[in-house]
Amino acid sequence: MSTADNSILGLRLPTDPRWVDLASLSLQEILTDHAFCELKAATQCISLVQIYPDKMELVSALSPIVTEEWGHFRMVLAEIKKRGYELGRQRKDDYVNLLLQHHPKAVPVPDKLLHKLMICALIEARSCERFRLLSENLEEEDMRTFYHRFMVAEAGHYRLFVDLAEQYYPVEQVRAAWQQWLDIEAQVLNILSPRGDRMH
Ligand SMILES: [Fe+2]
Ligand SMILES: [Fe+2]
């Protein structure tokens, strides 16, 4: 079984099968959006370190992830250059914006970190699932290998965010928050129609 199976990741809904067909027809667009996803993943980790400098396990765990996500950005950038494409501009991130709009209201301050970690884990899990689809369905073998590497890396990050949450919160509370975010993500996916120029 692949590390990106929804049963492992726990995602409620599989990606609409039309997405990978659309994506494969607009690889340049996907590479641009993917590059910015990696950049946002790096900046999100930096931002968590800035907000929680007193949480040493978190700082220690996320510092190398910043380097790794930045390395992912550079890998995508190298692919873009190799193909003679432009990086292009960052697009509006409807998926993340909708997730944030559905953020439960009135979260007590001590639980804010839990929800931030759950959102990070969720984005990693969904990215991992989409990278799997690309790694299995793109026509070019090089690109299938390229996306397989991202799939494996993001599966590890998904786990890392859940593990970090369990360091700071009781397991039962983490499980409940994760279920809540899985429900929210399923609602968000139902709102969004699949687009070949977006990773999500
Ligand atoms: Fe990444
Ligand atoms: Fe990641």
Side-chain angles (χ1 to χ4, degrees), residues 9-177:
L9 296 168
L11 296 167
R12 294 260 192 271
L13 293 180
T15 284
D16 186 317
R18 288 172 298 175
W19 173 77
V20 76
D21 295 334
L22 293 169
S24 65
L25 294 172
S26 47
L27 204 52
Q28 179 173 1
E29 301 280 340
I30 279 295
L31 284 166
T32 290
D33 198 51
H34 177 189
F36 284 105
C37 287
E38 298 295 354
L39 196 112
K40 283 179 274 185
T43 53
Q44 180 58 28
C45 291
I46 291 172
S47 141
L48 285 169
V49 170
Q50 288 172 314
I51 302 170
Y52 301 101
D54 51 327
K55 299 205 181 308
M56 263 323 275
E57 290 91 348
L58 177 143
V59 173
S60 303
L62 294 187
S63 300
I65 307 301
V66 173
T67 314
E68 199 182 337
E69 301 290 22
W70 185 248
H72 288 172
F73 172 76
R74 294 183 62 191
M75 281 166 64
V76 183
L77 189 61
E79 191 59 39
I80 287 171
K81 276 159 77 177
K82 194 175 96 185
R83 290 169 177 267
Y85 299 157
E86 297 289 324
L87 173 59
R89 296 183 71 82
Q90 182 169 346
R91 286 73 177 274
K92 200 162 144 252
D93 197 333
D94 293 326
Y95 173 74
V96 172
N97 290 340
L98 279 169
L99 282 178
L100 295 177
Q101 275 175 29
H102 286 73
H103 194 293
K105 303 280 179 274
V107 171
V109 174
D111 291 349
K112 285 196 186 300
L113 173 61
L114 172 60
H115 288 275
K116 287 179 195 292
L117 292 171
M118 293 293 98
I119 294 171
C120 288
L122 196 53
I123 298 170
E124 295 285 0
R126 181 59 70 187
S127 302
C128 177
E129 187 238 13
R130 299 231 161 157
F131 290 142
R132 176 177 63 81
L133 293 171
L134 293 172
S135 77
E136 289 175 352
N137 292 285
L138 288 182
E139 206 166 298
E140 284 179 53
E141 196 186 339
D142 283 1
M143 290 311 281
R144 291 202 300 273
T145 310
F146 180 77
Y147 277 112
H148 188 268
R149 288 178 66 183
F150 288 102
M151 178 197 87
V152 173
E154 311 310 354
H157 296 167
Y158 147 74
R159 203 50 254 171
L160 181 135
F161 283 114
V162 173
D163 289 347
L164 264 180
E166 289 179 357
Q167 288 217 18
Y168 293 109
Y169 298 91
V171 173
E172 289 312 314
Q173 190 183 358
V174 174
R175 284 201 187 130

